[in-house]
Amino acid sequence: MANILEISEAIAEYIKTKENVKADFSVSEIEQHEITMKDGKFTLFRTLFDNNIDIKVIKDNKKGTTSTNNVTVEAAKAAVDAVIASAEVGSPDENFDIAPSLEPEKFSLGVLTPDIEKLMERTKELADDIAEKHKKIKLMEMFTKYVHGHVIFMNTNGTRDEKEYGFYEVAIDFAGNDGEKSTGIAESYVILDSLDDRLINAGSIEKDFTDAENSLNPLRISDKFEGDCIVTPGCAAQLIGGVLANAITDYVLINNTSTWIGKLGEQVASPLLTVRSNPWDERIINHEIHTCDGFRSENYDIIEKGVLKSYAASLYAANKCGLEHAPNSSFDLVVDAGDTAFEDMIKSIKKGLIIGSISAGAPGANGEMSGVAKNAFYIENGEIKGAVIETMISGNIFDMLKNIKAISKEQLCDGQMVMPYLQIGNVTISGN
């Protein structure tokens, strides 16, 4: 493995020899211990190593970026020369910049010393739990990993961050199968900083299996109606992420296509909804410590009780548009829990769906969207009647946030987000 601290120092010293250059860069090393199981048996154990250098330079108001996995001093110097040459032929823009200096800090996140033997025990236990409790689940492949990383980030203003992190990861490809019928292939994924509990209890793993088993005998909805939809935490993240991408990120702010431009401090969603970008939430296992521009990352509220509080502008977009740059660039979303139990949501619906995900293209700039409801279940008079197939939903994603009728007490914590169920009214549902 390369000595990333020595290489970082060499890059910093080499950049100092260049005139009129602002730069930031990171040097990273990652080690992964990966376990693979198939048909209830271990099929592979391997250790993988990866190194990378990422460099951004600004010269004469022109920007260049590069990346290389050749982590040597010679390769790093060649990368600096190449990226400066790339910047010199670019277009100047006075809005390009890097963050001012941060006090040098070291950060340790997650579990830094792995228990591989325990991970193997938990992996076998998970396979046994699935075989015992979910006999209609066919495992395609199951991966568990321990990931350890070490990153040095520096800039020419004097910032020097060192981050070491570690976490466990579970990824399962599976389908419902009763010997005659089969569902589509699904995936369940979670990252963890502890192996104290059975893996089947982590994230949404067990619920994902149950939903797949319950999808083996689907119904067909033949009519078109307007009803309520309960979106699962995974689907809620998909929906909210789509809204935010269309409303508060660099591209739509710079191109003036966001429907939320000029709406800071205004109501843009149901008063029930509070959305935070909180990398420092203790339930987020591995997170950024500085923004993509080099500022120290801080938690911030995007929407508070339905009111737009902030845009997610990078330093460049903030300079370009006259805005404040976002306190972090992570989108580690934490949505506040509500006061309604998931079961009570179901009981309140006369006619509607529970939706696990939506298969659709990117919504238009105005938020119009239509797609196929996946991992979906039909509700009638407060009862789940069964899974559905070939069922479309359509609506406007901005209106959907305004039409939130309830938010669940329950939240999914999968190490990357904290998300409840959302009950949304006035969604158009169409059968085949």
Side-chain angles (χ1 to χ4, degrees), residues 39-216:
D39 299 324
K41 298 178 181 179
F42 292 108
T43 58
L44 181 68
F45 177 81
R46 62 180 179 175
T47 301
L48 304 172
F49 300 93
D50 190 25
N51 295 89
N52 212 59
I53 299 174
D54 295 286
I55 306 172
K56 175 178 73 179
V57 302
I58 300 168
K59 180 176 173 61
D60 300 325
N61 293 326
K62 302 174 184 179
K63 187 178 81 168
T65 61
T66 193
S67 180
T68 179
N69 58 10
N70 186 353
V71 183
T72 63
V73 172
E74 295 76 16
K77 290 180 177 180
V80 170
D81 291 336
V83 75
I84 291 174
S86 173
E88 288 174 336
V89 299
S91 300
D93 190 326
E94 62 183 7
N95 297 296
F96 291 133
D97 207 352
I98 62 173
S101 176
L102 297 174
E103 285 294 319
E105 286 198 51
K106 292 184 178 182
F107 297 86
S108 297
L109 304 177
V111 53
L112 302 184
T113 303
D115 189 338
I116 301 301
E117 183 176 344
K118 185 71 170 179
L119 180 61
M120 295 189 77
E121 290 175 3
R122 287 297 191 197
T123 303
K124 181 63 167 64
E125 179 183 68
L126 175 58
D128 293 342
D129 283 345
I130 296 168
E132 179 184 345
K133 299 179 181 179
H134 298 279
K135 299 185 184 301
K136 295 180 182 179
I137 288 296
K138 180 175 178 58
L139 287 180
M140 307 302 180
E141 206 150 32
M142 182 164 70
F143 304 89
T144 57
K145 294 180 183 180
Y146 171 73
V147 180
H148 179 270
H150 186 198
V151 186
I152 307 292
F153 173 85
M154 301 175 73
N155 74 14
T156 51
N157 286 333
T159 293
R160 177 174 163 171
D161 276 345
E162 184 173 354
K163 173 186 172 183
E164 186 178 9
Y165 63 89
F167 59 85
Y168 299 104
E169 176 182 323
V170 183
I172 311 169
D173 293 325
F174 64 95
N177 186 290
D178 62 5
E180 296 181 0
K181 297 178 291 295
S182 182
T183 67
I185 296 175
E187 182 185 48
S188 195
Y189 180 84
V190 64
I191 64 173
L192 309 158
D193 60 359
S194 170
L195 296 174
D196 290 345
D197 196 7
R198 304 174 87 91
L199 294 181
I200 199 167
N201 297 326
S204 62
I205 291 174
E206 181 140 42
K207 185 178 186 305
D208 293 339
F209 293 151
T210 301
D211 286 349
E213 290 177 311
N214 290 337
S215 299
L216 285 166

